[in-house]
Amino acid sequence: MIDPITVNNISVSYDGNEVVKDVSFSFGAGSLIGVLGPNGAGKSTLMKAMLGLIHKDQGDVKFGSKTVDSMRKQIAYVPQRSNIDWNFPIIVKDTVLLGTYPKIGLLRRPRKADKEWAMECLKQVGMESFANRQIGELSGGQQQRVFLARALAQKADYFFLDEPFVGIDVSSEEIIIGILREMQAEGKVIFVVHHDLSKVKKYFDGLILINKELIDAGPTSKVFQSDNMAKAYNREFMIDGLEVSM
Amino acid sequence: MEFIQDLMTYSFLQKALITSIMVGIICGVIGSFIVLRGMALMGDAISHAVLPGVAISYMLGINYFYGAVFTGVLTAFSIGAISQNSRIKNDSSIGIVFSAFFALGIILITQAKSATDLTQILFGNVLSVRSSDMWLTLIIGAIVILVVALFFKELLVSSFDETMAAAYGLKTRLIHYAIMFLLTLVTVASLQTVGVILVVSLLITPASTAYLLTNRLSVMVILAAFFGAVSSITGLYFSFLYNMPTGPVIALTATAIFVLAFLFSPKQGIVVGMFRKKFKRKSITGATN
């Protein structure tokens, strides 16, 4: 059983400006959670702070009773597409193979079994016929699927995806959400930074709604309400107008 | 042919050849990572910043290796300290630190009036390589190649996706400084062959040429090492036969190979690209007819 993840009072500031203020929440095994908020709300920052990748002013993250540093091999992270150098000399299957590195450890090379597992993960996202392409030759949706395959290859318990649905085609989006659903059914905990409000109810069963400070966190049906959304986005909100009526 | 006969005859030429080949190889290897991490300017900075270390070593009468490594590492840390603790951007802090170190180096060397000629340090003279220099280069080369081979996996993932590497627990800052340290070693080894000013050419140009030719990092590193070695052997040849300064000949050879790849690379080459477009247009019009 995968331990619940608990965030206590995280605050982060850049150059003296607080960008995440005193955020706390908790989610258990088998959660697919959307991290929601307007541009500049600190969504990606919150995620990086949870992973201990940036300095926190205060607060901590617990995986059950364990710290993030003792859980690193159970964590898979998928960066925003814009943070990747798509001209890097690497082909698709080697990109997925990177996912096996954490468990291979130092001073060892990937073996045949690792390479087969990477191909297996590539098949799951329907990209095996692109295995020998350079990653820059793919479309946005295909690139995102390859990075999801890399995360799958990590055999992790906790997944953190930063804006996986930005600028990708419909079929890729369906493949990705399908896989995330399967992972959820296996009991994994998945956080997804997201900002397309129209599909929130369809995709996520849990939500973290922030605008620097936490507006609300919990089940989607509880969090995704007009008053909460108005608070987060600082304007009137018609949940019905977005075809996501409650 | 005459060159090969001389090579058999003169041991100083053999030393020069071995040193050149090793310098070319390790510059290509480390240069590949420098290019991919967008640290070309950092390579330039470290290579200039070893100069005061060399000068101080001569004043103290110790091997220039120690002083050079010391000021090289000090430069890497100073640049990191400025860009992380202020709003100054990374390229500006590189500019501030390396120009200061280089200026200090020039003053120290002219004051020291040591046996070493300033131009030799600045532009290289591979024919003056002594046995001890050759061995130093070979040891540095062995260290660099060994480290890159053993930690290739970690160098690959941290160069490609630093956040993912840090998320699964790699010490990415340690890797950064380890690369800076290797870069300093490579620079020191290159001092006599290419000289301080043009080390950057042997670091960046062969690696960039290789980058145009392949989609795999392992192949890029090997190609870069090969182009680096070819460039420095050519540099040796011309400086021996025509008494030209080694560094500039090496730099221009590396550039010539780069231009060939830039024009004719099967995937990236602009000439090939033009032909492909023309061919495509023809085949499209052919199809409509």
Side-chain angles (χ1 to χ4, degrees), chain B residues 187-216:
Chain B
T187 305
V188 173
S190 316
L191 272 183
Q192 287 205 306
T193 325
V194 258
V196 165
I197 295 189
L198 291 171
V199 170
V200 69
S201 131
L202 205 45
L203 281 170
I204 304 308
T205 313
S208 301
T209 309
Y211 181 53
L212 292 179
L213 296 174
T214 176
N215 286 330
R216 301 187 99 147

Side-chain angles (χ1 to χ4, degrees), chain B residues 44-57 64-73 75 98 101-102 105 109 121 183-189 191 195-196 199:
Chain B
D44 205 17
I46 301 265
S47 58
H48 282 72
V50 300
L51 193 59
V54 173
I56 292 168
S57 301
Y64 66 88
F65 173 75
Y66 300 105
V69 169
F70 176 73
T71 48
V73 171
T75 306
F98 101 78
F101 272 80
F102 191 54
I109 286 213
I121 297 175
L183 175 61
T184 309
L185 291 184
V186 168
T187 305
V188 173
L191 272 183
V196 165
V199 170

Side-chain angles (χ1 to χ4, degrees), chain B:
Chain B
M1 280 327 284
E2 190 190 339
F3 180 66
I4 292 174
Q5 263 174 17
D6 288 335
L7 204 52
M8 302 299 207
T9 323
Y10 302 114
S11 76
F12 82 92
L13 204 52
Q14 292 158 10
K15 282 176 208 153
L17 180 72
I18 293 170
T19 310
S20 309
I21 292 174
M22 190 49 124
V23 164
I25 290 173
I26 55 180
C27 278
V29 170
I30 285 299
S32 297
F33 294 99
I34 301 294
V35 164
L36 291 175
R37 291 171 160 251
M39 296 190 339
L41 192 55
M42 195 72 177
D44 205 17
I46 301 265
S47 58
H48 282 72
V50 300
L51 193 59
V54 173
I56 292 168
S57 301
Y58 278 114
M59 286 173 172
L60 297 176
I62 56 175
N63 192 314
Y64 66 88
F65 173 75
Y66 300 105
V69 169
F70 176 73
T71 48
V73 171
L74 190 64
T75 306
F77 278 111
S78 313
I79 291 167
I82 292 178
S83 58
Q84 275 154 31
N85 296 309
S86 76
R87 65 199 299 180
I88 309 286
K89 289 199 176 71
N90 198 43
D91 58 340
S92 298
S93 32
I94 290 173
I96 293 166
V97 173
F98 101 78
S99 53
F101 272 80
F102 191 54
L104 179 67
I106 290 177
I107 289 176
L108 286 178
I109 286 213
T110 49
Q111 290 299 307
K113 288 242 189 313
S114 63
T116 17
D117 186 5
L118 180 62
T119 53
Q120 196 158 316
I121 297 175
L122 293 182
F123 301 112
N125 182 3
V126 72
L127 297 174
S128 69
V129 167
R130 295 163 300 170
S131 285
S132 60
D133 301 322
M134 181 186 79
W135 286 112
L136 180 69
T137 304
L138 290 179
I139 292 167
I140 289 176
I143 294 172
V144 170
I145 292 169
L146 195 67
V147 170
V148 170
L150 286 178
F151 297 100
F152 187 78
K153 215 163 85 264
E154 286 69 29
L155 288 167
L156 165 60
V157 67
S158 67
S159 302
F160 176 55
D161 187 350
E162 193 166 23
T163 322
M164 182 242 185
Y168 87 71
L170 284 188
K171 305 274 174 267
T172 48
R173 190 169 290 183
L174 179 70
I175 294 174
H176 170 81
Y177 283 112
I179 292 177
M180 291 295 99
F181 180 67
L182 292 180
L183 175 61
T184 309
L185 291 184
V186 168
T187 305
V188 173
S190 316
L191 272 183
Q192 287 205 306
T193 325
V194 258
V196 165
I197 295 189
L198 291 171
V199 170
V200 69
S201 131
L202 205 45
L203 281 170
I204 304 308
T205 313
S208 301
T209 309
Y211 181 53
L212 292 179
L213 296 174
T214 176
N215 286 330
R216 301 187 99 147
L217 179 60
S218 49
V219 180
M220 175 175 166
V221 169
I222 291 164
L223 279 179
F226 174 72
F227 293 140
V230 169
S231 306
S232 47
I233 293 170
T234 312
L236 171 64
Y237 179 81
F238 279 93
S239 45
F240 178 67
L241 285 187
Y242 305 105
N243 199 24
M244 289 182 183
T246 333
V249 177
I250 291 176
L252 289 179
T253 310
T255 311
I257 302 173
F258 174 79
V259 170
L260 285 178
F262 180 70
L263 295 176
F264 300 111
S265 150
K267 282 199 165 169
Q268 311 287 333
I270 58 166
V271 173
V272 176
M274 266 157 42
F275 270 108
R276 199 175 288 157
K277 257 183 217 159
K278 219 174 180 181
F279 182 75
K280 232 182 199 170
R281 209 179 301 143
K282 261 189 189 157
S283 64
I284 289 169
T285 49
T288 49
N289 288 338

Side-chain angles (χ1 to χ4, degrees), chain A residues 226 229-230 233-238:
Chain A
S226 338
M229 299 306 285
Y233 287 80
N234 290 320
R235 58 187 167 89
E236 285 305 303
F237 237 90
M238 295 285 294

Side-chain angles (χ1 to χ4, degrees), chain A residues 55-88:
Chain A
H55 174 78
K56 294 188 280 285
D57 297 340
Q58 60 160 22
D60 62 28
V61 183
K62 283 274 149 58
F63 297 75
S65 58
K66 299 191 194 96
T67 63
V68 66
D69 279 326
S70 62
M71 292 299 287
R72 295 224 169 267
K73 287 184 180 161
Q74 292 307 328
I75 292 172
Y77 172 80
V78 177
Q80 275 185 49
R81 227 151 34 83
S82 56
N83 289 345
I84 294 296
D85 171 12
W86 295 104
N87 290 317
F88 197 92

Side-chain angles (χ1 to χ4, degrees), chain A residues 66-125:
Chain A
K66 299 191 194 96
T67 63
V68 66
D69 279 326
S70 62
M71 292 299 287
R72 295 224 169 267
K73 287 184 180 161
Q74 292 307 328
I75 292 172
Y77 172 80
V78 177
Q80 275 185 49
R81 227 151 34 83
S82 56
N83 289 345
I84 294 296
D85 171 12
W86 295 104
N87 290 317
F88 197 92
I90 192 166
I91 58 176
V92 167
K93 65 179 178 192
D94 290 343
T95 308
V96 180
L97 192 62
L98 298 179
T100 65
Y101 285 11
K103 285 181 176 133
I104 291 174
L106 288 176
L107 303 177
R108 295 219 184 109
R109 291 182 177 282
R111 288 157 185 265
K112 201 171 162 232
D114 298 307
K115 289 176 185 168
E116 283 167 1
W117 170 239
M119 277 308 283
E120 189 60 37
C121 295
L122 202 51
K123 270 182 201 145
Q124 284 189 48
V125 300

